[in-house]
Each structure stands twice: as structure tokens, then as C-alpha cells.
Amino acid sequence: MLEEAGEVFDNMLKASFPLTIIVFIPAVLLLVSPLQAEAAHEFTVYRMQHYDLQGQSYGTRNSVLNTEARTVQADVLSRRCVLMRLADFSFEQYQKALRQSAGAVQFMDIEPEMLSMETQVPVYFAVEDEELLSIYEQTLAASASQGTSSAAEVLLHTATANGFQMVTSGAQSKAVSDWLVTSVEGRLTGLGAEDLPTIAIVAHYDSFGVAPWLSYGADSNGSGVAILLELARLFSRLYTYKRTHAGYNLLFFTSGGGKFNYQGTKRWLEDHLDHTDSSLLQDNVAFVLCLDTLGNDDTLHLHVSKPPREGTLQHTFLRELEMVISSQFPEVKFSMVHKKINLAEDTLAWEHERFAIRRLPAFTISHLESHRSGHRNSILDLRWKVDTQVLARNTRIIAEALTRVIYNLTEKAAPSDLQIFTKQMQVQKEQLDAVMHWLTNQPRAAQLVDKDSSLLSTLEYYMSRYLKDVKLYHVKADKRDPEFVFYDQLKQTMNAYRVKPAIFDLLLALCIAAYLGLSYFAVQNFNVLYKLVQRVSWKPKQQ
């Protein structure tokens, strides 16, 4: 068989050089056809939230991606990396991608709906640049052309067009063990007897959004932390002098894990109420004031689980707050919002509910009327969303109302328009702006703030400047029945490779196979014809 094939090709080489070229062209094509994947762009991507809370999983389970890029306009999205621009995204498009088991989705917006479900599809976000936008536009053009062309045109375009293969560099995500959620506490001790009433001022510092690495939480709750630190500075000055040293203990607490059902606050209360013989929270708590989302708008709402009774310090604070706003800041609309605690829900609405469950009088002040506002949990909550003028005004409103309660100014017949924090004691806008810049200069998602974070060390240092007995409290999830579980691989490098589609290789292989078959058939017939010609030309010579 081999001798026969060698004879055929030997005769072919001797007889026809052009035929040799024709037969060996497919062999050359076979060598050059597997086009090397060209790296078109390398960029950083940020994965969607992935965590367990109260035994329920949220976010996206998978993190590995190696699929061909498509836009949502394409008819078939199965096992494809679906590219979407944030500005063009809708929840319906997101659901379309999930229904067709898309390989991944990269740009989207509707965060609460997205986080309300668990999906196996890896979801990534990336900051738009010129190269990435070019990849998106080329992919969009390829997807759009498929819907307006005939089947033959679509097949031809698919086979000849360049595509992009999206590949992540990281491994599959896994649970992070022994993660600590840290909170910071400091205090100003009142002047007088041991059993002084205590006012606690609380704000959670962590941020939350659909992608942890893009969660800067400017208004929610960087604004609350900024106001807490400014209140600590102002009252530390009042408590420095004996004449203005009030008979109230002030307890300041910046909690971690606020976006995860206020885990830091829960453990802090357990330590103070269950595991300690002597604590300011055990003795005589006047009320707990939680600060949440206070950097915008001309409204303020005092959220309560139970309306304060007349004659209590909670009611006094409510009355003083109303008085300060109506007399000094008439442009601000104020209301009290009453919402009972729903223990059937997996998560609490506001931080004061953690205290109310332990029968401590508490409320939350915020410019948001509802805890369901998407503004509290968004990657779009950026620094420019916070108005420093509004932040300073709200700081002063709270400071003036607290001061009137602490020093009993109304009972002492002080005028309602008395302004305490002016001149040398005024609220420092530059300080608030600097704190906001520091807080929003880094993502503060709970999964990213470990116990050695510079955020915590700076927060501890700042509080130590004005407060006494500053301490750090750490929360670790129970190993047997964890209330929260975090996962890694939240930030990866993705490469977009310029490649021919898989159908190109298939069509090329079919064409080459057909070409070789025809060539073999032609060679076989040429060999027969060649021998026939030789015999015909040999007979006349013999005669």
C-alpha cells in the first residue's frame, strides 16, 4: 500500500509541478490555520458578592471563567460571557442572561434584585476604559448583525469574524475561615456619682454593594462615621473643662459587620450585657442614638421600634430635636418613623433594633425614610453623593439636640434658638471633608477589612485623640453554626484574547478534508490517465 502511494506521488511529482502545489496547499493550511490567541486586553475585574448569612447563600457561587464574549443582543447566550455596560443595563436583560445559562455577566446595575438570589453564573464588574469599550463595541456589532442577516450570511460572518475569549486568572472561590469582624469603642466619662446615665452614639463603618471591591459607602455609612467622630471631638472639648463637664457618660461605638445583620453590634452587646459584671450598658442607659446615612437631602427621620413615652429621656431628645430643627433649621423636614421589629425576617432593618431586642432604648436618625432604600447598599454610593454642607448641618442639629438634653437647657429656660456650637466650638467642615475623603478612598466591605487593616488602626488612632479607654472588639463566626461566611476570589485579573470562533476551525477542517478528498480522487484518476497515455505512446514506438 505504501509502495503504491509512493509510486503515485512520485509519478505526480515527475509529471506535474502545478498539481504538486495544489495537493500540498491544504497541508500548508493545516500548519498555519490554528491561529494563536492574541491577548487584546488585560484588566482587573471585581466579582459580585458571595456570602452566606443566617444559613442562606447570596450572590454568585462560581469565579472561574473561560468563555467567548457576547452582548445581551445576541440570540444565543448559553455558555457565553455576556458583556453589558452599566448605563445600558436592565434587570430584564440580567434575567435573560441567567435563563440561558450565560457563562458570565460583567456590567450591571439593579443591585437589590441581583443580591436577592443566588446564581451559579460568575458575575464580574470592570472599570470601563478605551480598550474594554472597543471590545464591547466589536462584540455588540457582531451580535447585532446576526439578527438582521440571512442564515448563510450569519454563518459566513460567524466563521470569518474575530471574537474575544474572556479568561480569568484565579481559582474557584472557597470559604474564608476564621475571618474577624472588628469594632472600636471609646468613651467620655461624666462628672459626678458612679451611677450616671449613659448615652451611646453608634455608627457602622462598613460598606456594601453588589461588588465588595467597588463598595465605598460614602453616604451609607461613611457619613454616619464622620458625624460620630466630629461629635466625639466636640464633646471631648466640653468634657475637658469642669464647668462644662456634664453628668452623662458618653459611649462612642463604630461597629463592624453592620451590613451583615449588625454582627459587630450583636457581639458587643453580648460582651457588655452577658459576659461582664460591670458595664456602662448594664447600669443606666438613657438611650442609644444610631447614625445612618446622613450626608444628603433636606429631610431627617427618627426611626424607632417603639414610640418613646413622655417623661423619658428618649422623649426629651425627640422634643429637643424637633425644637432645634424648627427654630434653627426650618428648611429641614423632620418626622418620626415607627416600625416594629419583625423577628421573622432574616435581617434587621436598622441598627437600633439590635439594642431594642436587648431592651435598651434606641433609635436611628437618617435622611432615608425606609430601610429598603437601595441607596444604603450600592456601588454607586460614591463621595460626590455626600454634600459636605448638609453633613455639617446635620452634625450641628444632632450636637445641639444632644447638648440640650445633656445640660437640661430647656428646663433651665434656655431659648430654643440658642446656638451652642459656634465660633471656636463650631462644626469643622474641613474636618468632616477630610474624614469623608479618607473613608471613601478605599472599599470598606466587611470581607476586605481584616483585623490588621489600616482603616481600623486609623480609626482607633482618631478616636484615641478625643476619647478614653478605646478598645477593639473582634467577632469570629461560630465554626459549627456560623451566622456569616465570606468567600475569597473577589478580585481577579481577566484577559480578553482575540480569537477566531470555534465554528471557524470546524469549517476550515471540513474544507480541508473535502479538498484533500478531491485531491486524492484527482491524483488517483491522474495516475490511471498517466499510465494510459504511457501505453498509447509506447505502442507506436514498438511498431
Side-chain angles (χ1 to χ4, degrees), residues 122-392:
V123 180
Y124 285 99
F125 293 78
V127 178
E128 185 175 286
D129 56 25
E130 291 184 5
E131 291 84 358
L132 194 54
L133 183 58
S134 175
I135 291 172
Y136 172 79
E137 290 174 346
Q138 292 179 59
T139 308
L140 177 63
S143 300
S145 64
Q146 294 181 10
T148 59
S149 304
S150 64
E153 289 174 331
V154 169
L155 183 62
L156 180 62
H157 183 272
T158 303
T160 57
N162 286 323
F164 294 94
Q165 189 83 2
M166 315 303 282
V167 183
T168 54
S169 59
Q172 186 61 272
S173 65
K174 61 181 183 298
V176 179
S177 60
D178 299 329
W179 188 263
L180 294 177
V181 173
T182 305
S183 304
V184 188
E185 171 202 307
R187 66 185 65 187
L188 292 172
T189 305
L191 182 64
E194 292 184 0
D195 190 23
L196 293 175
T198 297
I199 295 176
I201 302 172
V202 179
H204 65 273
Y205 64 79
D206 56 311
S207 58
F208 188 85
V210 72
W213 275 98
L214 297 177
S215 303
Y216 293 91
D219 200 6
S220 180
N221 191 33
S223 62
V225 175
I227 290 179
L228 181 145
L229 295 177
E230 182 65 4
L231 291 175
R233 185 189 70 82
L234 293 173
F235 282 98
S236 69
R237 295 194 64 183
L238 290 174
Y239 275 50
T240 299
Y241 305 102
K242 187 174 182 180
R243 187 168 62 90
T244 54
H245 198 157
Y248 281 81
N249 297 316
L250 298 182
L251 191 59
F252 294 85
F253 182 61
T254 53
S255 61
K259 302 298 186 179
F260 292 89
N261 214 16
Y262 308 104
Q263 293 296 325
T265 300
K266 179 184 178 184
R267 191 62 58 88
W268 183 64
L269 285 170
E270 290 174 353
D271 289 345
H272 275 276
L273 300 179
D274 301 335
H275 306 144
T276 305
D277 295 332
S278 178
S279 168
L280 292 180
L281 294 179
Q282 287 180 334
D283 302 330
N284 183 9
V285 177
F287 57 82
V288 179
L289 177 61
C290 300
L291 311 173
D292 193 330
T293 319
L294 290 158
N296 213 327
D297 213 348
D298 287 331
T299 60
L300 282 176
H301 305 280
L302 193 68
H303 297 270
V304 299
S305 301
K306 185 179 180 180
R309 297 194 315 271
E310 192 169 348
T312 62
L313 282 172
Q314 307 100 274
H315 186 270
T316 301
F317 177 74
L318 172 61
R319 186 186 63 199
E320 298 290 3
L321 197 60
E322 291 174 332
M323 182 185 299
V324 168
I325 292 173
S326 62
S327 62
Q328 301 181 36
F329 304 93
E331 74 278 7
V332 177
K333 297 178 181 179
F334 175 76
S335 68
M336 184 181 71
V337 181
H338 174 216
K339 177 191 173 298
K340 292 183 179 180
I341 301 174
N342 188 354
L343 296 177
E345 293 185 357
D346 293 333
T347 57
L348 298 176
W350 298 99
E351 192 159 15
H352 73 266
E353 294 182 356
R354 276 288 173 211
F355 296 89
I357 289 173
R358 300 303 300 261
R359 300 188 180 280
L360 294 175
F363 26 62
T364 297
I365 188 167
S366 171
H367 75 73
L368 298 177
E369 188 173 5
S370 172
H371 68 283
R372 299 187 185 279
S373 171
H375 189 72
R376 298 181 72 200
N377 305 306
S378 176
I379 60 174
L380 302 179
D381 184 11
L382 303 173
R383 174 65 186 90
W384 62 271
K385 291 289 186 74
V386 173
D387 187 334
T388 305
Q389 292 287 117
V390 173
L391 190 65

Side-chain angles (χ1 to χ4, degrees), residues 64-104:
V64 177
L65 173 66
N66 187 352
T67 55
E68 191 177 346
R70 287 286 187 275
T71 63
V72 75
Q73 286 77 12
D75 295 328
V76 179
L77 301 178
S78 179
R79 301 186 64 81
R80 297 292 186 270
C81 175
V82 182
L83 305 180
M84 300 184 195
R85 293 188 69 199
L86 191 64
D88 305 328
F89 176 75
S90 69
F91 188 59
E92 290 72 19
Q93 291 176 330
Y94 175 62
Q95 288 182 314
K96 175 186 175 184
L98 295 186
R99 282 195 301 269
Q100 295 198 32
S101 300

Side-chain angles (χ1 to χ4, degrees), residues 18-36:
L19 188 59
T20 304
I21 297 298
I22 292 173
V23 171
F24 279 98
I25 282 177
V28 175
L29 287 175
L30 279 172
L31 293 175
V32 301
S33 63
L35 299 175
Q36 298 261 342

